[in-house]
Amino acid sequence: MEDSLVRIAVVGPTYPFRGGIAHYSTMLVHHLRAAGHTTFFYSFTRQYPTWLFPGRSDRDPSAAPLRVECEYLLDPINPFTWWRLVRRVRADQPDLLLLQWWVPYWTPSLTVISSLLKRPPATKIAMICHNVLPHDGGGVIDRRLAMTVLRRADALIVHSEPDRYRARALLPHARIVKAFLPTYEPILTNAASAVNAALRHQWQVPDQRRILLFFGFVRPYKGLEYLIQALAQVRQQLDVHLLVVGEIWGSPAYYQRYAAEFGVTEAITFVDRYVSNEELPAIFSTADVVVLPYVSATQSAVVQLAFGFGKPVITTNVGGLPEVVQDGVTGLIVPPQDAHALAQAIVRYFQDNLAPCLTANVQASATERAESWPRLVSIITDLAHELNRR
């Protein structure tokens, strides 16, 4: 390695694939290259078979997607492509290979790839753990699959303290580095001209109502049921509307019936689809506050999006969320699975007029958030130097 510059290889999803991890991979490569590091990016020809993917599509509908130069080499269910990726990595000779782990589906491909690359001359490997264990799992099988993959890495990078604990419990002797999840503000920059003042009319939200925003894929661990219960309590005191924006993984009718049971059907708008980057400013600018009633979590890119748009967050005391949302400073934190406490926090937010103060605090932290990618790049390059000195 010459001076402080290193050769880094990254494996992960990117455009045309959608979602937070695709955005993460793309921005990571962009910032590594911007720092002057020689960076190789290998992505997927496909991520999941159609029959296995729970959503409608894994493709990004954005007209102005995040993109960087990459090679599409890997199909996680085609072992021939695993060998192809191994040969490419060996030819490029990176100082550090970054593999990404988030669900057990990747166990076969990542196990084989990392095992082959650990044969002499061994490639140094760091696993970026978006979730050490899956949100909706964490049982014996999930733990064994995670251990099978993660033990082959020279180091693990996690983005929250709870995930550091989980990684340490699985692999007591592993080299584990924690780095906070970086901001997703490049998405905001790309879409900044798309604010749509007609959004309330388009989604039939009355002009006078304050808006609560629940954003992102709707999955059981995100606790939307508790927010619907809380909404019924809040509306006894305030005229508020809940905007649920994100593809529902499961039955939309379940949540609609849930809303009907609590008498708040007319106070909820479901936008049951993945929204493009261009729509984000209109959605977040329309909201008065972003609410994340999660039952479990490691961290959340939705918090970074909300803060990027200057929006405070009301969330639960789970996972790494209290590490990034400061109670009473940049948002409010309540116990999980407690609709009454959540309702009280929402009412307090509006009745005590907390928005100006919390919003100012969120905006004041913009400089710190802007430095989050350079900090992660620094952590990765320091790790590359450390591992290659062994």
Side-chain angles (χ1 to χ4, degrees), residues 217-350:
F217 295 121
V218 180
R219 299 175 60 185
Y221 77 88
K222 294 189 176 182
L224 178 57
E225 297 98 320
Y226 296 98
L227 180 52
I228 292 174
Q229 293 178 42
L231 180 65
Q233 299 179 39
V234 172
R235 283 183 55 79
Q236 295 175 11
Q237 302 181 60
L238 300 171
D239 188 15
V240 298
H241 195 93
L242 173 59
L243 194 58
V244 178
V245 181
E247 187 175 303
I248 298 174
W249 286 14
S251 170
Y254 169 80
Y255 293 100
Q256 292 163 357
R257 290 194 298 267
Y258 210 87
E261 181 69 21
F262 283 89
V264 292
T265 298
E266 183 269 338
I268 303 179
T269 298
F270 290 97
V271 184
D272 179 18
R273 61 181 175 83
Y274 183 92
V275 297
S276 67
N277 294 347
E278 293 76 32
E279 297 174 274
L280 293 177
I283 292 166
F284 279 86
S285 65
T286 301
D288 291 285
V289 66
V290 178
V291 185
L292 284 67
Y294 290 7
V295 174
S296 66
T298 49
Q299 21 63 35
S300 174
V302 177
V303 173
Q304 300 293 352
L305 279 173
F307 285 174
F309 285 112
K311 296 296 178 179
V313 172
I314 299 175
T315 190
T316 51
N317 185 23
V318 296
L321 296 179
E323 295 181 67
V324 291
V325 179
Q326 295 176 271
D327 189 30
V329 179
T330 56
L332 299 176
I333 297 177
V334 300
Q337 299 177 281
D338 189 336
H340 182 65
L342 183 59
Q344 286 183 316
I346 294 169
V347 170
R348 177 187 165 208
Y349 179 83
F350 290 112

Side-chain angles (χ1 to χ4, degrees), residues 5-6 8-10 25-40 98 373 376-378 380-381:
L5 295 181
V6 293
I8 302 288
V10 179
S25 302
T26 307
M27 288 187 282
L28 174 59
V29 171
H30 168 77
H31 284 277
L32 284 166
R33 289 174 176 169
H37 303 292
T38 300
T39 307
F40 309 97
L98 297 173
W373 282 107
L376 179 58
V377 167
S378 178
I380 289 171
T381 54

Side-chain angles (χ1 to χ4, degrees), residues 171-209:
L171 300 167
H173 304 295
R175 175 72 171 99
I176 302 171
V177 178
K178 189 181 86 170
F180 285 115
L181 182 69
T183 176
Y184 277 47
E185 286 186 28
I187 302 176
L188 319 182
T189 302
N190 286 354
S193 62
V195 175
N196 179 6
L199 188 63
R200 281 177 177 264
H201 176 74
Q202 176 186 344
W203 287 341
Q204 299 180 336
V205 180
D207 290 341
Q208 74 278 9
R209 281 189 183 169

